[in-house]
């Protein structure tokens, strides 16, 4: 067992917390889609994966990684629009069927990526190779940067949802979809916009993660699992809960890595989820 | 002039046949009360009109347009303001945000101002989330939220349930005032005296069907009908 010293622990906790902001982006996308549409989007992790893959392509074609932060979520968001309209909407009001449809979408995405990009693990060069000092350990400046970018996007998302007219309509649809309809709000349009927004958030997560993980056509699996746990523990339909749970779990995961192997840490995350649900069956911030 | 008409409407919840051939009309400028005991299909009738439930048979016309198979949001935009039973406010949205959900032009403050004129207390609660308002304030907000959609007809489902007597009489005044200013109102109620004090015409429902229709004065004389369908003595 390795010796535990405070600065190592603080380092690992900070590393987890910083990563938590990027995971929060992905989880917020999942949470929004569930909140507005009542859909468990099984393809969310694969949208994240496509974000990472497309970031590689953008880097290859333009030589500039940073462009992908803008281009990739826009492309993914636009692709989500017809997906919602022609794949999900026909099954509206049938959650189980919709969930299976999203599993289908997930497989299609995986196989298309496998057929085009291939099945190998690709490592992307670090776009910002700066090293900073974090609790006396040299730390990747890029990891701090993506946390900052994620925070900026989360603030932007908060502003959109809480300070704009369209955001009011989205929140109204989350809280009472039938009544929103009876108020003259076109819930189909709201669902379409939300699915695009949620997909774009997953894609940005993938883009930001690409340089710090291995880009691989199955890389979405771990992230979707973590995001499900986060959304459930945070409380279904609560965006605040999702954000807090994302930061909490990633920080814990970082802290636990000092004594646990990655596999043990995954088990521990499940144990924590079960413990939370025993005391708060509807999640921490559920209504 | 006929504003709303239902012709032989049959609505189901799953397999249960709730509305069994409901026909009714609401004319422009009227207050029409739809009375009946609990569970006879009054709320189902309103939900069918606004399009939240789709009838299996029959036709609904509003402003001479067939709205039978229109989605709810389009029906609402044609000019029906719905104040449902239990209010159905957006609980975590504040007063202003709840009102904004109904405003097609979010910058048009005239509708907002007239809503605050009608219910001045709401202006003081503007930043308060709907779930923290008192029952009376919630009911006022529900009505105000329907009014800012600039409807031609207001559908009120038991607007006085659970309210203090003083607020009930305030609601009575508000409904009368709106009607004097030209608003057509379809009122669902279980409180017979409250409804008879307001309505021009009355429909009485029983077991998914309209059992009686007529003017208020005529109904007042037919006490036996009131007693049979509503258990009411007036």
């Amino acid at each position: 067992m390795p010796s535990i010293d405070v600065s190592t622990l603080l380092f690992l906790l900070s590393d987890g917390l910083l990563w938590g902001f990027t995971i929060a982006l992905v989880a917020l996308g999942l949470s929004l889609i569930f909140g507005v549409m009542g859909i468990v989007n099984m393809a969310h992790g694969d949208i994240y994966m496509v974000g990472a893959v497309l970031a590689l392509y953008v880097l290859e074609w333009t030589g500039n990684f940073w462009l992908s932060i803008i281009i990739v979520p826009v492309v993914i968001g636009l692709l989500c629009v017809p997906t919602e309209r022609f794949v999900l909407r026909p099954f509206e009001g049938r959650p189980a069927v919709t969930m299976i449809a999203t599993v289908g979408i997930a497989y299609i995405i995986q196989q298309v990526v496998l057929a085009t990009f291939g099945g190998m693990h690709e490592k992307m060069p670090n776009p910002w190779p700066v090293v900073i000092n974090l609790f006396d350990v040299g730390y990747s400046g890029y990891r701090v940067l993506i946390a900052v970018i994620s925070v900026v996007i989360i603030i932007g998302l908060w502003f959109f949802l809480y300070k704009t007219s369209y955001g009011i309509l989205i929140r109204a649809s989350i809280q009472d979809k039938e009544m929103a309809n009876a108020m003259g709000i076109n819930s189909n349009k709201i669902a379409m916009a939300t699915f695009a927004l949620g997909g774009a958030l997953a894609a940005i997560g993938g883009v930001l993660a690409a340089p710090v993980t291995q880009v691989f056509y199955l890389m979405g699996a771990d992230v979707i699992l973590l995001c499900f746990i986060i959304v459930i523990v945070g409380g279904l339909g609560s965006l605040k809960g999702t954000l807090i749970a994302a930061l909490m779990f990633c920080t814990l995961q970082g802290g636990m890595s000092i004594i646990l192997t990655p596999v043990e840490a995954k088990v521990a995350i499940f144990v924590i989820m079960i413990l939370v649900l025993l005391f708060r069956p509807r999640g921490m911030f559920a209504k | 002039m006929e504003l709303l008409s239902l012709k032989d409407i049959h609505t189901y919840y799953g397999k249960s046949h709730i509305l069994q051939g409901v026909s009714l009309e609401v004319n422009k400028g009227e207050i029409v009360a739809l009375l009946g005991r609990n569970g006879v299909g009054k709320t189902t009738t309103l939900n069918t009109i606004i399009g939240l439930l789709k009838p299996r048979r029959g036709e609904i016309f509003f402003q001479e347009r067939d709205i039978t198979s229109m989605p709810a949001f389009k029906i609402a935009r044609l000019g029906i303001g719905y104040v449902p039973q239990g209010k159905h406010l957006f609980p975590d949205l504040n007063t202003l945000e709840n009102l904004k959900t109904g405003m097609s032009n979010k910058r048009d403050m005239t509708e907002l101002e007239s809503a605050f004129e009608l219910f001045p207390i709401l202006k003081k609660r503007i930043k308060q989330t709907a779930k923290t308002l008192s029952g009376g304030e919630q009911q006022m907000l529900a009505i105000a939220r329907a009014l800012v959609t600039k409807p031609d007809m207001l559908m009120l489902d038991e607007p006085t349930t659970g309210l203090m007597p003083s607020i009930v009489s305030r609601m009575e005044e508000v409904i009368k005032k709106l009607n004097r200013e030209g608003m057509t109102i379809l009122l669902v109620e279980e409180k017979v005296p409250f409804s008879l004090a307001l309505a021009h015409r009355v429909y009485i429902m029983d077991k998914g069907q309209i059992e009686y229709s007529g003017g208020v004065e005529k109904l007042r004389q037919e006490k036996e009908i009131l007693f049979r369908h509503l258990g009411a003595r007036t």
Side-chain angles (χ1 to χ4, degrees):
Chain A
M1 194 162 154
S3 66
I4 301 174
D5 67 80
V6 176
S7 73
T8 311
L9 183 63
L10 282 175
F11 172 82
L12 291 169
L13 288 173
S14 315
D15 179 50
L17 176 65
L18 289 170
W19 179 235
F21 287 106
T22 304
I23 288 297
L25 283 184
V26 184
L28 281 169
L30 190 67
S31 189
L32 259 180
I33 291 171
F34 180 83
V36 172
M37 307 169 73
I39 288 176
V40 178
N41 182 18
M42 301 297 285
H44 205 68
D46 297 291
I47 297 174
Y48 161 88
M49 176 271 288
V50 170
V53 170
L54 288 181
L56 265 178
Y57 280 120
V58 170
L59 176 64
E60 199 178 303
W61 293 329
T62 67
N64 186 339
F65 165 76
W66 307 107
L67 282 177
S68 58
I69 295 180
I70 309 290
I71 296 171
V72 175
V74 171
V75 169
I76 298 289
L78 290 176
L79 286 173
C80 284
V81 169
T83 309
E84 188 280 331
R85 177 65 189 83
F86 298 109
V87 183
L88 301 179
R89 197 179 305 168
F91 303 121
E92 197 189 344
R94 297 158 73 190
V97 180
T98 319
M99 190 166 143
I100 293 166
T102 65
V103 173
I105 296 170
Y107 279 126
I108 292 169
I109 295 173
Q110 283 174 16
Q111 295 306 314
V112 167
V113 171
L114 182 61
T116 54
F117 175 74
M120 66 290 183
H121 290 75
E122 284 272 355
K123 190 91 187 80
M124 189 188 252
N126 186 344
W128 203 53
V130 172
V131 176
I132 62 161
N133 185 328
L134 185 68
F135 300 106
D136 295 331
V137 186
Y139 189 72
S140 156
Y142 177 75
R143 281 178 178 267
V144 178
L145 183 65
I146 62 172
V148 172
I149 294 172
S150 300
V151 169
V152 170
I153 294 168
I154 290 167
I155 292 171
L157 181 68
W158 179 86
F159 186 85
F160 171 67
L161 290 173
Y162 286 84
K163 297 291 163 193
T164 69
S165 301
Y166 206 79
I168 292 174
L169 301 187
I170 291 181
R171 281 158 56 225
S173 301
I174 293 178
Q175 290 170 33
D176 194 334
K177 191 176 165 190
E178 279 207 330
M179 195 57 221
N181 263 317
M183 291 300 301
I185 298 170
N186 183 350
S187 63
N188 286 334
K189 261 193 194 163
I190 299 277
M192 191 183 262
T194 304
F195 194 68
L197 178 62
L201 286 170
I204 297 178
V207 170
L208 296 177
V212 294
T213 51
Q214 303 263 335
V215 180
F216 177 54
Y217 84 109
L218 295 177
M219 69 187 276
D222 275 352
V223 169
I224 187 94
L225 195 60
L226 181 59
C227 286
F228 277 137
I229 294 173
I230 286 167
V231 172
I232 291 167
V233 169
L236 293 178
S238 167
L239 298 175
K240 188 176 76 179
T242 301
L243 176 61
I244 292 171
L247 300 180
M248 189 187 87
F249 270 106
C250 290
T251 308
L252 275 172
Q253 222 174 15
M256 287 186 304
S257 66
I258 200 167
I259 46 167
L260 302 178
T261 66
V263 174
E264 288 166 347
K266 264 182 209 165
V267 174
I269 292 288
F270 272 103
V271 171
I272 294 167
M273 175 177 85
I274 291 165
L275 286 177
V276 171
L277 294 183
L278 274 178
F279 294 101
R280 302 274 310 185
R282 297 172 58 83
M284 294 189 300
F285 293 90
K287 307 281 135 50
Chain B
M1 200 191 102
E2 213 168 70
L3 190 62
L4 173 80
S5 76
L6 277 69
K7 296 193 167 76
D8 192 31
I9 288 295
H10 291 257
T11 302
Y12 291 70
Y13 267 123
K15 279 185 180 155
S16 31
H17 194 174
I18 307 292
L19 299 187
Q20 306 179 2
V22 169
S23 298
L24 61 83
E25 290 86 40
V26 178
N27 298 314
K28 212 164 170 44
E30 272 188 317
I31 300 181
V32 172
L34 184 58
L35 306 178
R37 287 197 176 94
N38 216 353
V40 297
K42 305 185 299 292
T43 297
T44 305
T45 304
L46 296 191
N47 280 337
T48 305
I49 294 169
I50 195 70
L52 292 175
L53 292 170
K54 291 294 165 201
R56 283 205 203 157
R57 252 172 62 197
E59 288 174 310
I60 308 173
F61 290 88
F62 182 70
Q63 319 244 42
E64 287 160 5
R65 290 182 64 172
D66 185 351
I67 61 167
T68 319
S69 52
M70 249 184 220
F73 78 92
K74 281 192 182 160
I75 297 173
R77 287 179 188 180
L78 282 180
I80 298 181
Y82 190 19
V83 182
Q85 197 176 12
K87 304 155 200 119
H88 281 262
L89 295 170
F90 303 111
D92 292 329
L93 264 53
N94 65 32
T95 298
L96 183 63
E97 289 170 335
N98 263 283
L99 292 171
K100 279 191 171 175
T101 60
M103 292 160 61
S104 50
N105 180 354
K106 308 274 188 282
R107 288 191 178 76
D108 180 8
M109 292 298 142
T110 52
E111 291 308 312
L112 211 52
E113 283 309 320
S114 53
F116 288 144
E117 216 169 281
L118 196 60
F119 302 115
I121 186 76
L122 291 181
K123 200 165 186 175
K124 292 187 190 133
R125 303 277 184 270
I126 204 157
K127 290 281 174 199
Q128 215 172 309
T129 53
K131 66 183 172 195
T132 64
L133 299 175
S134 74
E137 289 163 354
Q138 289 189 359
Q139 190 61 58
M140 292 175 203
L141 179 54
I143 294 175
R145 183 181 61 170
L147 287 175
V148 295
T149 66
K150 301 188 208 172
D152 297 305
M153 183 180 86
L154 208 53
M155 298 200 300
L156 302 166
D157 194 351
E158 300 199 11
T160 61
T161 303
L163 299 185
M164 291 189 301
S166 63
I167 301 180
V168 172
S169 53
R170 173 91 183 88
M171 284 296 164
E172 194 178 315
E173 280 167 34
V174 164
I175 294 170
K176 274 185 181 154
K177 180 168 186 278
L178 288 170
N179 181 248
R180 270 200 309 275
E181 290 163 2
M183 182 67 72
T184 307
I185 291 165
L186 176 56
L187 173 72
V188 158
E189 259 302 340
E190 286 184 11
K191 289 197 180 85
V192 175
F194 176 80
S195 312
L196 295 189
L198 282 168
H200 303 119
R201 284 194 304 120
V202 174
Y203 289 92
I204 297 178
M205 276 186 93
D206 208 349
K207 295 187 188 112
Q209 291 174 334
I210 301 288
E211 290 292 341
Y212 173 90
S213 77
V216 168
E217 291 313 316
K218 186 174 141 216
L219 181 61
R220 279 191 212 278
Q221 278 139 39
E222 303 192 56
K223 296 206 167 24
E224 182 262 346
I225 287 175
L226 281 172
F227 185 71
R228 176 156 29 107
H229 295 294
L230 304 167
R233 298 162 207 275
T234 51

